[in-house]
Amino acid sequence: MSEYDPQALQAKWQQRWEEQDTFRASEDPADPRERRYMLDMFPYPSGDLHMGHGEVFAIGDVVARYWMQQGYNVLHPIGWDSFGLPAENAAIKRNAHPAEWTYANIETQANSFRRYGIAFDWSRRLHTSDPDYYRWNQWLFNRFFERGLAYRKGGLVNWCPNDQTVLANEQVVAGKCERCGADVIRRELTQWYFKITDYAQRLLDDMAQLDGWPERLLTMQRNWIGRSEGADVLFEIEGRDEPVHVYTTRPDTLFGATFFVVAVDAALAAEIVTDEQRAAYEAYRAETAKLSDIERLATDKEKTGVFLGRYAINPVNGERIPVWAADYVLADYGHGAIMAVPAHDQRDLDFALKFELPVKVVVHTGLADPGETGEATPGEGVLVNSGPLDGLDKTEAIAKIIEVLEVDGRGTGAVNFRLRDWLLSRQRYWGTPIPIIHCPDCGEVPVPDEQLPVTLPDLRGEALAPKGVSPLASATEWVNVECPKCSGPAKRDTDTMDTFVDSSWYFLRYCSPGFNDGPFDVEQVRKWGPIDQYVGGIEHAVLHLLYSRFFTKVLHDMGMVDFSEPFLRMLNQGQVINGGKAMSKSLGNGVDLGKQIDDFGVDAVRLTMVFAGPPEDDIDWADVSPAASQKFLARALRVMSEVTSEPGVSFDDGDPELRKVTHHTIDEATKLVDSYRFNVAVARMMELTSAARKAIDTGRGPADPAVREAAETLAILLSLVAPYTAEEGWERLGRTGSVSFGGWPVADPALLVQESVTCVVQVAGKVRDRLEVPPGIGEDELRELALASEKVASYLRGTPRKVIVRAPKLVNIVP
Ligand code: ANZ
Ligand code: ZN
């Protein structure tokens, strides 16, 4: 009997897998196996792998290896999301080039992945910072540009004062930079955008295809896209030729509009403010410029604003209403101006009460007068004080008023989205140069495809220090070029792309990683795509997962992919925490993945990750025991090592009791893995191990063919979570080839017939209940069943002192 030495097993099998390229997906057209594509979110090379990686990849590998066992031709690739700020910051600190830090970390992570035993197809490895990869970001940018989906515009943008770069709306979380946590401010800048808003409705509609996504994720995307229905209403402003648009979800309340508000930072405000009010307005504008959107919109914030000296005309009743500027109206939402209905909108009411503006109730709700109570009545009711709308309910009134407005040419029904275009330029170095040349005569000229990639000039150290303009601007030789159109002197765009561009299509590149005639081989993507299962964190809900869906739709419209949703099923794993808290330097509760592996072995760590609970739940490392996992694996390997029958022996003559346990395990494990309940599947493996142990020791012994059947089944099931132990066991069982392709067993229905035995439950030595239980029931399960019995409970007060379980026939409780 050999000792369980995880490090030796790892070294042996890791080498074997590498030599034999065990997990390489087959591209052979003659391979009859159905294809499946399993993807984990690719890592950022920020250092060595951490516990979080340990969990995602352990979970993803359960799925990949399950499919391999089931006989699919599985694509399970790995690469690195290797552009980004941390590399640049490290380079500034060390006076080095970001590539040095990046590629060194990639090597470290690659080695750790190999050790961690993830069943990757290494031949498809990619790094987004390779010119071979980012060349295609540029090529795609050109396609987007041609289609009007990449454009430049000026306007207020989110600016991180710490990272000295702009951020997309999706990268501003509660008013702070998603990366560094600094308070984001607004700056006026001309930037590149992707027109994701063109796809807003489709991004919403196609969610119908995403029934394999967690509801929470769909809700987050739905809210982010933020579709609402209402009306676009035109208001005349005295002294201005053109009417002004407002967007409202409650056009039925139009008769209750008693004033008009323009966003303080909207161009309209500066345009229409009267000379008498200009000084007050400018002062107010300067004061609000410091606030983030979140602060501006906070409902508990004291309302502020300034009268612009002008009046608007309510289009339905001709009333003159004063025009104010305020910060609670946002410049880039709707039309940047609103009709204020204080009786039925709380923010408008707060504003009206502060500045003594009239409040007019137009919906009778039965609630007290908002002007008195300070509580707006936003709900539904019957329209009053509203001319032709009087007596109608909300839905009728909305339909009616839209009809009236449309007839008069004073408005239309309208749909509005909260989603903004994706701001993609960044004023940093370590990213994909935007392939545009600015020519004084020709304007924005894309770098011709055959001149791609536009590679990064060689800048390092101090030259990368953030200064508010892109470091690329200092590379004069690189910047000054000939215009591709007129050959006149011109300049390259000096911004780089948001690194979320890189990750929006990497999963397509994996299908043909060396492809040179385009970002990917359309044929290969047709064969592998879309992704059958994607695993990664919920933090990407409205970032990567939204952008990738957008890219896929554009590529679909270009005829390059035949699907319009990239990820059929999505699993968001929980986090690994320690002592109930997220791991952090300041708390000093970090757990090091490498150290865990040194101490307990890869398989024990992986098994612990999977066994801890449902994959979506957080794992508290303080509550789990990798040592216990290791003990279990040693027991499992011992069972597999002790079998003395020959491979291929007929199982028919085996002990029927053990065979039933084995086939029940197969049946349940299949259902459990199919429904992502990997942790419970592991519990079944543990029970099967105990049953086999018992059969060896006190049953028909190690030569019983049923013991072989149980042990082989165990090896295959175990290969999903503890591949090294499984391979070793398989070999000791005398089986050849990798256990990974042993073939998922199928339960024999004849052996699934549930028989039961009677279990006697005693309390203090007296029989208090009898339970019918399956003969193969595990001790833990039986203990729970016995303690759950009402009859038993009536003899217990509090937790019993001792529970002795002799499965399946006896439970003895000492109260
Ligand atoms: C009048 C009204 C009356 C409104 C009422 C609501 C209730 P969603 O659902 O988010 O699309 N609004 C429009 N543009 C705005 C802007 N730029 N900044 C701040 N608020 C703006 O919300 C649309 C509603 O938000 C619009 O409907 C408008 O207020 C406000 F009883 O118009 B409502
Ligand atoms: Zn030119």
Side-chain angles (χ1 to χ4, degrees), residues 96-327:
H97 193 280
E100 291 169 24
W101 183 89
T102 303
Y103 288 93
N105 284 345
I106 289 177
E107 272 329 294
T108 304
Q109 292 195 349
N111 288 332
S112 294
F113 272 132
R114 291 207 156 90
R115 184 180 183 212
Y116 204 50
I118 304 295
F120 286 137
D121 177 346
W122 284 94
S123 71
R124 292 164 191 267
R125 170 172 174 175
L126 58 80
H127 318 122
T128 59
S129 53
D130 291 353
D132 256 5
Y133 184 88
Y134 71 71
R135 167 186 180 187
W136 302 110
N137 283 341
Q138 296 171 335
W139 186 94
L140 287 165
F141 180 94
N142 282 352
R143 301 291 84 74
F144 278 54
F145 184 78
E146 287 161 6
R147 308 184 133 245
L149 291 172
Y151 69 97
R152 221 157 69 111
K153 73 166 181 199
L156 282 174
V157 298
N158 303 304
W159 178 263
C160 172
N162 178 41
D163 293 330
Q164 294 269 306
T165 181
V166 300
L167 301 169
N169 283 353
E170 288 79 7
Q171 288 159 338
V172 180
V173 179
K176 296 188 190 301
C177 171
E178 177 233 358
R179 272 196 180 282
C180 74
D183 283 331
V184 170
I185 58 168
R186 310 275 277 168
R187 260 186 81 173
E188 179 85 31
L189 280 176
T190 299
Q191 299 284 295
W192 286 98
Y193 291 82
F194 280 142
K195 216 166 180 189
I196 190 171
T197 51
D198 270 12
Y199 286 75
Q201 189 63 52
R202 274 167 70 188
L203 285 165
L204 213 52
D205 293 343
D206 288 354
M207 281 189 200
Q209 297 174 38
L210 302 181
D211 49 4
W213 281 37
E215 197 46 50
R216 176 161 81 118
L217 194 53
L218 293 174
T219 304
M220 286 170 81
Q221 287 211 355
R222 209 173 283 124
N223 291 343
W224 187 258
I225 296 167
R227 183 185 193 276
S228 66
E229 282 180 14
D232 228 28
V233 185
L234 293 171
F235 278 72
E236 299 288 344
I237 307 251
E238 284 177 2
R240 188 180 198 266
D241 292 341
E242 288 290 305
V244 173
H245 290 259
V246 305
Y247 174 71
T248 175
T249 46
R250 294 296 302 269
D252 56 317
T253 64
L254 196 43
F255 284 85
T258 54
F259 58 101
F260 191 96
V261 188
V262 181
V264 54
D265 44 351
L268 179 68
E271 178 207 311
I272 64 174
V273 62
T274 57
D275 290 344
E276 303 87 80
Q277 291 298 97
R278 185 166 298 276
Y281 164 70
E282 293 297 349
Y284 176 57
R285 181 187 167 130
E287 187 187 307
T288 54
K290 295 177 213 131
L291 303 176
S292 70
D293 278 5
I294 302 279
E295 291 168 309
R296 286 174 58 157
L297 289 179
T299 44
D300 56 354
K301 175 179 168 289
E302 168 101 17
K303 291 283 171 292
T304 57
V306 62
F307 179 47
L308 292 177
R310 297 270 203 165
Y311 291 84
I313 309 298
N314 187 331
V316 288
N317 56 14
E319 265 173 34
R320 287 178 88 223
I321 57 177
V323 180
W324 286 67
D327 63 359

Side-chain angles (χ1 to χ4, degrees), residues 701-720:
D704 177 1
V707 170
R708 168 167 287 276
E709 186 181 33
E712 290 193 355
T713 300
L714 183 61
I716 286 173
L717 303 193
L718 214 48
S719 76
L720 273 45

Side-chain angles (χ1 to χ4, degrees), residues 316-385:
V316 288
N317 56 14
E319 265 173 34
R320 287 178 88 223
I321 57 177
V323 180
W324 286 67
D327 63 359
Y328 79 96
V329 174
L330 299 177
D332 59 0
Y333 187 71
H335 297 290
I338 64 155
M339 63 181 221
V341 185
H344 306 297
D345 182 304
Q346 189 61 46
R347 289 174 305 167
D348 295 346
L349 181 61
D350 295 342
F351 194 87
L353 294 177
K354 167 127 185 225
F355 295 105
E356 300 185 348
L357 294 159
V359 178
K360 182 179 162 194
V361 173
V362 289
V363 183
H364 177 75
T365 56
L367 296 168
D369 183 354
E372 308 278 312
T373 60
E375 303 278 336
T377 54
E380 306 186 17
V382 175
L383 274 284
V384 292
N385 300 324

Side-chain angles (χ1 to χ4, degrees), residues 455-688:
T455 51
L456 287 165
D458 187 8
L459 298 181
R460 54 183 58 231
E462 249 318 288
L464 304 175
K467 33 188 162 318
V469 288
S470 174
L472 293 182
S474 67
T476 345
E477 266 180 49
W478 182 88
V479 170
N480 291 305
V481 286
E482 263 184 18
C483 167
K485 259 196 193 157
C486 70
S487 301
K491 285 184 189 304
R492 287 193 192 283
D493 198 293
T494 56
D495 284 350
T496 52
M497 295 182 200
D498 181 359
T499 55
F500 279 106
V501 175
D502 314 357
S503 50
S504 291
W505 65 279
Y506 76 110
F507 43 91
L508 302 172
R509 184 86 184 152
Y510 279 139
C511 298
S512 52
F515 195 61
N516 260 325
D517 302 324
F520 50 86
D521 181 345
V522 170
E523 271 310 296
Q524 288 300 326
V525 168
R526 213 171 46 72
K527 286 184 182 158
W528 287 111
I531 282 116
D532 296 285
Q533 177 70 63
Y534 200 16
V535 181
I538 188 89
E539 68 276 14
H540 287 291
V542 295
L543 286 155
H544 164 58
L545 290 173
L546 189 66
Y547 296 148
S548 303
R549 294 184 61 217
F550 162 57
F551 257 60
T552 303
K553 289 177 199 309
V554 176
L555 290 165
H556 178 77
D557 292 351
M558 288 169 60
M560 290 184 69
V561 298
D562 57 6
F563 45 88
S564 58
E565 281 296 333
F567 314 124
L568 297 181
R569 297 218 298 178
M570 183 72 224
L571 194 151
N572 296 126
Q573 84 287 353
Q575 289 186 1
V576 187
I577 58 176
N578 191 18
K581 297 208 174 71
M583 294 186 204
S584 78
K585 274 213 179 90
S586 57
L587 288 175
N589 65 342
V591 177
D592 183 69
L593 180 64
K595 175 82 164 56
Q596 294 290 308
I597 293 175
D598 289 343
D599 291 352
F600 305 105
V602 166
D603 282 354
V605 172
R606 289 179 56 163
L607 186 120
T608 304
M609 298 270 187
V610 176
F611 186 48
E616 308 81 19
D617 288 8
D618 288 350
I619 300 175
D620 191 340
W621 207 250
D623 291 346
V624 296
S625 171
S629 300
Q630 195 192 38
K631 260 190 215 142
F632 157 65
L633 290 170
R635 254 191 300 135
L637 184 59
R638 218 175 300 131
V639 163
M640 296 185 273
S641 311
E642 287 174 21
V643 171
T644 53
S645 60
E646 288 302 312
V649 65
S650 166
F651 299 143
D652 293 345
D653 314 325
D655 173 4
E657 285 315 311
L658 179 57
R659 294 206 67 205
K660 280 179 198 160
V661 176
T662 302
H663 284 259
H664 274 292
T665 305
I666 295 169
D667 182 54
E668 286 196 53
T670 309
K671 291 175 189 152
L672 289 164
V673 176
D674 279 335
S675 55
Y676 299 85
R677 288 158 69 205
F678 310 143
N679 56 320
V680 190
V682 171
R684 295 292 171 272
M685 297 176 206
M686 293 175 170
E687 287 159 17
L688 180 60

